[in-house]
Amino acid sequence: MTDSEEPHIDADVIIIGAGLAGLTAAYKILSREPSLNVIILESSKDVGGRYRTIQMVTKNKRRSSFEVASQWINTDQHDLLELLEELEIPFVSTVIQGSVIKEWNGTEVCKHRLGMLSGLTLSEQLELAHFLVKTWDRATIRNLASITFQEFIDQNLSSDNVKCFIEYVVLINCAVPPDKISAFFYIFYCISNRSLVDQMVSEKGTNRYRIKQTHKNLCEKLAEKIDPTIIFLGEPVLKIGVSKKFVKVVTIYDCL
Ligand SMILES: Cc1cc2nc3c(=O)[nH]c(=O)nc-3n(C[C@H](O)[C@H](O)[C@H](O)COP(=O)(O)OP(=O)(O)OC[C@H]3O[C@@H](n4cnc5c(N)ncnc54)[C@H](O)[C@@H]3O)c2cc1C
């Protein structure tokens, strides 16, 4: 089969990845040049990449959701703040003191406990602390390399909320669920990045903005604005070739 006979789509702009960067690029390009034929190729089954809305059950047994890998915006992230205003995604000004966030909602100052941990009960926080500090003591490299991190979690934790917490931390940090990596890989990653422990450490005296809960997150809104039919999900890009006339992007199924 020659190149021209291969199944293909012609496009002016091909963006690889439907994370925040890819979606914002498509949105900005199409806002300026609506006539361009732009497509986005995304390897996973969802848009958003690392940007996720997490659902959890709180201490009071209420369902709660919050934005992970997107929640905080520094005062100098002007482009992101502009984008939020343009897409009408609400955010509030906050100041963090110790483990308390003070938020100005327009009429009064509201106080919240900081971090993902506030969704866990005291006994769940103790189980998590034990898991973080003690569990590794008994593990050997040979054992850890032969099981997935999900199996390791299941063997060492009983609370569903704590399992859910750790599963999301892995998903956010490594962009894959814990059943796709070995326990050894994740522990090595933690040692080099302090990632799991970092989730528990609060920063002090910081002024930032925080995105409020909405029924659609920033990436979902961007995808909606730019026309979801130009986003091809489940299309991992394998190869990019450049000739004098065009760029050829090869995905697992098709040639574009
Ligand atoms: C724990 C954590 C907390 C964070 N908190 C904040 C915060 O509070 N505020 C903030 O502003 N930022 C925060 N960030 C940073 C923010 O999440 C990232 O900067 C942002 O999500 C990155 O977006 P991206 O599009 O560049 O990459 P990604 O979100 O990683 O998206 C890349 C996309 O490309 C796809 N892809 C990769 N390879 C291929 C391929 N070959 N073919 C097709 N598709 C492919 C992936 O599946 C993915 O969907 C945080 C990050 C982490 C990890």
Side-chain angles (χ1 to χ4, degrees), residues 30-246:
L30 287 167
S31 304
R32 280 189 205 169
E33 295 286 345
S35 61
L36 282 179
N37 181 7
V38 178
I39 61 167
I40 306 180
L41 303 173
E42 168 55 50
S43 60
S44 71
K45 298 281 177 209
D46 296 304
V47 299
R50 275 171 284 169
Y51 198 118
R52 275 165 206 274
T53 304
I54 305 293
Q55 309 290 338
M56 269 186 95
V57 180
T58 68
K59 269 185 256 192
N60 315 326
K61 307 287 174 215
R62 288 209 199 110
R63 290 216 156 268
S64 171
S65 68
F66 57 95
E67 309 295 317
V68 182
S70 57
Q71 185 172 194
W72 298 103
I73 304 149
N74 292 332
T75 44
D76 59 357
Q77 286 180 270
H78 305 295
D79 292 341
L80 187 53
L81 289 166
E82 247 173 53
L83 187 64
L84 291 171
E85 272 177 354
E86 210 172 309
L87 298 176
E88 295 175 346
I89 293 181
F91 54 90
V92 286
S93 176
T94 69
V95 59
I96 302 170
Q97 288 173 339
S99 61
V100 175
I101 312 169
K102 291 183 181 171
E103 275 180 10
W104 172 247
N105 70 7
T107 44
E108 58 180 345
V109 175
C110 311
K111 291 184 186 177
H112 309 282
R113 301 280 305 167
L114 180 67
M116 298 166 85
L117 284 179
S118 57
L120 302 178
T121 63
L122 183 60
S123 65
E124 286 167 345
Q125 290 189 30
L126 285 172
E127 187 180 352
L128 176 64
H130 186 267
F131 177 79
L132 291 173
V133 179
K134 282 279 164 214
T135 315
W136 322 123
D137 289 356
R138 285 176 277 121
T140 65
I141 291 178
R142 184 190 288 263
N143 285 349
L144 294 175
S146 65
I147 55 169
T148 66
F149 192 55
Q150 183 65 58
E151 287 167 327
F152 187 76
I153 292 171
D154 292 338
Q155 284 170 14
N156 290 287
L157 287 170
S158 55
S159 153
D160 285 344
N161 248 0
V162 182
K163 283 185 190 178
C164 170
F165 173 90
I166 296 203
E167 283 160 17
Y168 277 120
V169 170
V170 176
L171 190 63
I172 296 308
N173 282 309
C174 300
V176 289
D179 63 341
K180 295 279 185 281
I181 51 175
S182 78
F184 177 68
F185 171 84
Y186 194 68
I187 288 154
F188 184 74
Y189 178 86
C190 283
I191 292 166
S192 52
N193 290 283
R194 297 183 65 246
S195 59
L196 208 51
V197 178
D198 276 354
Q199 304 291 330
M200 305 172 72
V201 178
S202 62
E203 293 168 53
K204 294 182 181 172
T206 325
N207 285 301
R208 285 182 183 179
Y209 294 101
R210 190 159 85 105
I211 295 183
K212 289 180 81 172
Q213 275 179 33
T214 51
H215 63 291
K216 284 207 175 89
N217 71 30
L218 175 56
C219 287
E220 288 164 341
K221 277 219 172 175
L222 278 168
E224 200 178 74
K225 286 267 177 195
I226 60 179
D227 174 9
T229 61
I230 69 163
I231 305 169
F232 294 80
L233 298 174
E235 289 280 359
V237 170
L238 301 180
K239 205 165 72 180
I240 302 173
V242 185
S243 75
K244 279 189 184 157
K245 287 192 182 158
F246 53 82

